Amino acid sequence: MKKFAAILLAQVLALGCFTGCGSSNKGDTVMSVDGVDVSFDEYMYYLKTAASTLTSYYQSSTGGGVDWDGVCIYDKTKTNAEWCINEALYNAAHACVIMSKGKSMNCLPTDEQLKTLDDNISSIRKNYEDEDDPDAAFTAALNGQGFTLDSFKAVNKVNFTLANIFASLYGEDGEKVSEETLKGYIDENGFMTSAHILFLTYKEVKGDDGNTTKKDLSDEQKAEKKATAEKLCKELKAIKDDTKRKEKFFDYMKEYSEDPGKESYPNGYCFTEGAMVSEYTDTTKALKNYEVSDVVESDYGYHIIMRLPTTASDVDVSNQYGYTLGQMAASYDFDDEMKTWGVSSKAEFNSAYKDFDFTQFFSDSTGFTFTTYASYTAEKK
């Protein structure tokens, strides 16, 4: 299935990626895009994020560190350090565009969001109240994550703005996504929705070792359950009105179904190919909306399945984050929308930093060294 929501999952709902809100000291302005400045400290956050991405990759794939002068796995035309510098430049420019769009769309952070930000900072500060120097400990903790206090605020402001833009276009939960976009997303990814009444043909037995195993029911017990399933199935098929059939189906599902997941998914399952047992998937695909299947047997037992419409409020059963299809479809569309913003053509350093050697912060022995503007200029004096 398509990676539908990299932007949404990482940048809209999680609120934790972009920065770039403006620099108070023009000497430390690294770049300016659409009237929005990026400070040295803000850019260093992006640089640390890019460096962390590569470091994690090499540690997981090779078990070693990064050769910053070596060819980058993501772009063979650049060294690893050069890739980080360009990746940070692009993300900083993207943040500027977001703030500019937010201003034009009246989607800048609300007073409530800014209060939430201040409250969060106060809450973080409290973690260091018992230190000998609470302010120094707080600052060191921020620096360890690649932030100064100002850049930390900027991160959250841009992310609030991005979330507000998304909500303005699609609704907070994707409820405003167009039917065309939703249908296209559902069709492309093969989502389908159905509910079932399940009669289990096994029981779980706990052994002396504490482990649970499945034990088949007797043939007589299986036959009894199948007879009940066939009786309910016949009654449901006899109902001609879709609405009445659906109501009766869910009544029976609440009363008879032995599906362990029915409490968590009382409205049925929305899923894609491979998420469910093949018998369940194949039967769902063959049904029309509100049509009831014959009794279907799988390793779990006997199923009576009803196909349901797939709507924006449906949630993918295999999606651990629980986003609705509306949110996922909107995110997919939003990703395409942001590609039209032309960020790449705007990602350029200001003249003062065009020839600045950012590779000086990379070392094969120590990795990437986060440095604030204040520390860097103090060292140069």
Side-chain angles (χ1 to χ4, degrees), residues 4-15:
F4 51 80
I7 293 296
L8 178 67
L9 298 180
Q11 299 164 7
V12 182
L13 298 181
L15 295 179

Side-chain angles (χ1 to χ4, degrees), residues 111-380:
D111 290 341
E112 182 179 0
Q113 288 171 327
L114 294 177
K115 182 180 183 305
T116 297
L117 173 57
D118 289 339
D119 290 345
N120 287 341
I121 291 173
S122 297
S123 179
I124 295 171
R125 280 187 180 278
K126 288 181 180 179
N127 294 327
Y128 305 96
E129 286 181 346
D130 296 334
E131 300 288 338
D132 292 337
D133 188 340
D135 286 342
F138 171 70
T139 298
L142 287 179
N143 290 173
Q145 298 298 316
F147 294 112
T148 61
L149 179 57
D150 285 342
S151 66
F152 181 77
K153 291 179 179 179
V155 167
N156 286 274
K157 289 178 181 178
V158 175
N159 280 287
F160 281 133
T161 300
L162 186 63
N164 293 343
I165 293 173
F166 180 88
S168 175
L169 294 174
Y170 304 101
E172 291 185 5
D173 297 321
E175 67 274 12
K176 292 164 58 176
V177 67
S178 71
E179 288 297 324
E180 180 181 3
T181 296
L182 179 64
K183 185 179 185 306
Y185 182 75
I186 289 171
D187 291 347
E188 182 174 352
N189 292 283
F191 284 101
M192 62 193 92
T193 306
S194 63
H196 71 152
I197 303 167
L198 173 63
F199 295 87
L200 294 173
T201 53
Y202 65 86
K203 60 182 178 180
E204 293 186 341
V205 179
K206 183 173 289 188
D208 294 337
D209 58 0
N211 293 324
T212 300
T213 58
K214 293 179 179 179
K215 181 179 179 181
D216 281 347
L217 299 179
S218 67
D219 290 342
E220 182 180 352
Q221 289 171 313
K222 289 181 180 180
E224 184 178 341
K225 288 197 172 189
K226 186 174 183 181
T228 302
E230 289 177 339
K231 175 178 177 294
L232 298 184
C233 185
K234 183 177 180 180
E235 291 178 12
L236 290 167
K237 285 177 174 288
I239 301 173
K240 302 304 181 184
D241 182 79
D242 286 348
T243 301
K244 292 181 180 179
R245 188 186 315 111
K246 178 185 175 184
E247 290 175 355
K248 180 59 71 173
F249 183 93
F250 278 91
D251 286 343
Y252 282 159
M253 188 173 79
K254 291 176 183 177
E255 182 178 357
Y256 291 99
S257 184
E258 298 171 325
D259 178 8
K262 78 173 182 180
E263 299 299 326
S264 299
Y265 298 93
N267 299 314
Y269 295 101
C270 178
F271 59 98
T272 57
E273 192 81 40
M276 313 291 272
V277 293
S278 60
E279 295 89 348
Y280 190 94
T281 299
D282 293 343
T283 300
T284 297
K285 288 196 292 187
L287 295 172
K288 298 176 182 178
N289 285 341
Y290 305 113
E291 185 179 2
V292 173
S293 71
D294 294 330
V295 175
V296 178
E297 185 175 2
S298 76
D299 290 340
Y300 289 95
Y302 302 113
H303 309 253
I304 306 170
I305 301 170
M306 172 178 276
R307 178 76 180 256
L308 299 167
T310 301
T311 67
S313 62
D314 278 331
V315 178
D316 179 6
V317 68
S318 64
N319 184 343
Q320 62 179 316
Y321 299 103
Y323 296 133
T324 67
L325 282 183
Q327 289 171 319
M328 293 189 286
S331 172
Y332 178 66
D333 194 65
F334 193 34
D335 200 7
D336 284 343
E337 165 66 21
M338 285 192 287
K339 290 175 184 176
T340 69
W341 293 355
V343 175
S344 295
S345 64
K346 302 174 182 179
E348 294 183 356
F349 288 114
N350 287 349
S351 57
Y353 283 88
K354 191 173 288 290
D355 297 320
F356 188 89
D357 181 21
F358 283 103
T359 63
Q360 65 185 290
F361 302 112
F362 295 87
S363 167
D364 289 345
S365 59
T366 60
F368 174 76
T369 302
F370 172 78
T371 306
T372 66
Y373 182 72
S375 296
Y376 179 75
T377 53
E379 291 173 1
K380 292 299 180 182

